[in-house]
Amino acid sequence: MMELLRYTYVYSVLSTGETSEFSQMATSKEEAAELIVPRVADLEFTDEADIKLGDLISIDKKIGDNYIACEGCAS
């Protein structure tokens, strides 16, 4: 069974030039990337084509009620 981790990506809104970051729970960085774009587009009130997904900046693992940086997590 694959472990559910929190993947945080940087993204840009092409029409405004604004940059931010967004996290998504997923079993792989690829799955997270696919899920983030539609969610960010909804959050930013724009089309998915207006969102440019940037770098993966962290992978965190849930321990109890907290998330910790997951240095050795492979996806």
Side-chain angles (χ1 to χ4, degrees):
M1 186 169 151
M2 307 249 350
E3 186 172 18
L4 199 61
L5 300 171
R6 184 175 71 180
Y7 296 85
T8 304
Y9 281 86
V10 173
Y11 72 88
S12 299
V13 180
L14 299 175
S15 62
T16 64
E18 291 185 38
T19 302
S20 191
E21 57 187 60
F22 195 81
S23 297
Q24 175 66 49
M25 297 298 294
T27 57
S28 71
K29 64 183 179 181
E30 294 82 10
E31 178 189 21
E34 287 177 23
L35 296 170
I36 282 177
V37 173
R39 293 191 62 208
V40 167
D42 189 47
L43 178 73
E44 296 286 351
F45 302 104
T46 191
D47 295 323
E48 290 181 30
D50 194 27
I51 304 299
K52 180 182 179 199
L53 195 60
D55 293 335
L56 173 64
I57 56 173
S58 71
I59 301 172
D60 301 302
K61 182 176 184 175
K62 187 169 185 176
I63 304 292
D65 291 335
N66 300 310
Y67 286 92
I68 60 164
C70 191
E71 307 250 343
C73 293
S75 54

